[in-house]
Amino acid sequence: MHPAPHALRRVVAAATITLLATAVGCAPQPEEKAADTPSGSAGTTCAKGELATRTDGKLTIATDEPAYEPWFKDGKPANGQGFESAVAYAVAKQLGYDKSAVVWQSVPFNKAFAPGEKTFDFDINQVSISTERKKAVDFSSGYYDVRQAVIALKGSKAAKATSIADLKGLKLGAQVGTTSLDYIDDVVKPSRDAAVYAKNDQAKSALKNGQVDAVVTDLPTAFYITAAEVTDAKIVGQFENQGGTPEQFGLVLDKGSALTSCVTDAVNALRTDGTLAKIETRWLSDAVDAPVLK
């Protein structure tokens, strides 16, 4: 994942991390758009407000807790503020469910795309679409194009990096199961193993305490962290997307969900009519230019 003071996604003990990584196949493959033909049931009708949801007449949406800016505001997904809260309600409306029909549920980041039946209709939690993750869950089409960024304390050696080569000798950190961690392992390929955290909060604390030289997060999150949370840090730069298809966040659904095609159609409609762009402009307007690390 991520912004004018609005905010993010965060960052456990080594044993827990190992278990999580094994359970969900951390280190997802290069990100890509969801397939044009979702794996949901063929012939599904998308009658507004009458979908085969977990609870009749209700749409259950999940995200992690705490819910950070700029994706959510004041830690309250149900208030409609923040990029992902606004997107969730826009999708719900497109599907025929008004705000009163939306039920929020708390699901940890890694559990959202782990194998197994889901308790939600869809999850929105800065989950990048990947081939590896699609073995366990369905995704909607992408609702946000993502770039990863590096954060370091001002005045540090890491803060002076201008290229990927400059990062190779540094101790880097990221949240477990994220594309941010993939970029460290697969793009930077540092000489030292990355420090892996269950939450971005733990990665931020490690940066403050000098346990890592820099951390990697999605760009909107990086803007919020440096503007509001670790103000003596700076964005060193952002990575170029790898390959021809941009990394995208997608809504997560149960594998083979009958809702997948309907939710994908809803996201596509919101992209086509400009709704997603308007929501992005409002909540992620600061996630723009940052030096590109090559």
Side-chain angles (χ1 to χ4, degrees), residues 21-195:
T22 301
V24 302
C26 280
Q29 301 305 307
E31 310 305 311
E32 58 184 37
K33 291 183 180 178
D36 292 334
T37 304
S39 62
S41 302
T44 299
T45 59
C46 300
K48 288 186 177 296
E50 299 180 7
L51 304 182
T53 55
R54 295 279 168 182
T55 303
D56 288 345
K58 299 289 185 180
L59 187 67
T60 302
I61 304 176
T63 195
D64 202 352
E65 185 179 4
Y68 297 100
E69 297 186 14
W71 312 108
F72 301 93
K73 191 167 178 63
D74 300 326
K76 299 176 180 178
N79 64 15
Q81 299 185 62
F83 179 76
E84 289 194 328
S85 181
V87 168
Y89 281 116
V91 171
K93 183 178 179 180
Q94 192 71 28
L95 293 172
Y97 296 87
D98 61 24
K99 194 170 183 178
S100 65
V102 172
V103 178
W104 285 92
Q105 184 181 99
S106 175
V107 173
F109 178 77
N110 277 292
K111 189 174 180 180
F113 52 86
E117 186 176 357
K118 306 307 174 193
T119 57
F120 49 78
D121 293 313
F122 69 76
D123 177 276
I124 184 166
N125 194 19
Q126 302 118 70
V127 181
S128 295
I129 301 166
S130 77
T131 300
E132 183 66 25
R133 289 173 178 168
K134 285 198 288 184
K135 294 176 182 177
V137 295
D138 281 0
F139 281 96
S140 71
S141 52
Y143 62 88
Y144 179 68
D145 296 348
V146 191
R147 284 209 176 190
Q148 299 298 317
V150 179
I151 309 167
L153 296 180
K154 296 173 182 176
S156 66
K157 178 182 177 181
K160 298 179 176 64
T162 58
S163 67
I164 291 173
D166 293 337
L167 301 174
K168 290 186 180 294
L170 303 177
K171 184 67 174 179
L172 305 175
Q175 183 180 351
V176 66
T178 61
T179 308
S180 304
L181 182 57
D182 292 339
Y183 267 72
I184 294 175
D185 293 337
D186 302 334
V187 178
V188 179
K189 300 177 181 178
S191 57
R192 291 187 277 175
D193 290 342

